Amino acid sequence: MLAVAELGRGELVSETCMLYFELLAVPAGHALYGIQIGDRPPYEYTEESMHRPKGIGFASE
């Protein structure tokens, strides 16, 4: 584990629950970073994109 963030309050967007977060201290020097929430497959991001706020959506099944 390289960094930890808390998920913000969820927002319903077109039947998808969007959770927003920001990672403030991400170690440099990796080609790809994986973000995993619970047991879902990880999302992959580049180093450059890790320094911007993110949102991950969960659609109802």
Side-chain angles (χ1 to χ4, degrees):
M1 182 179 334
L2 299 175
V4 175
E6 288 195 25
L7 297 174
R9 183 179 172 142
E11 176 183 348
L12 187 60
V13 179
S14 299
E15 298 184 28
T16 299
C17 179
M18 294 297 296
L19 300 167
Y20 299 98
F21 62 96
E22 191 169 357
L23 296 165
L24 301 176
V26 177
H30 301 277
L32 288 176
Y33 294 78
I35 294 178
Q36 187 166 5
I37 298 175
D39 60 354
R40 294 183 174 268
Y43 296 85
E44 290 189 340
Y45 296 93
T46 63
E47 181 176 344
E48 180 182 330
S49 70
M50 288 298 291
H51 298 286
R52 294 191 296 263
K54 311 216 162 336
I56 292 179
F58 298 93
S60 60
E61 296 179 12

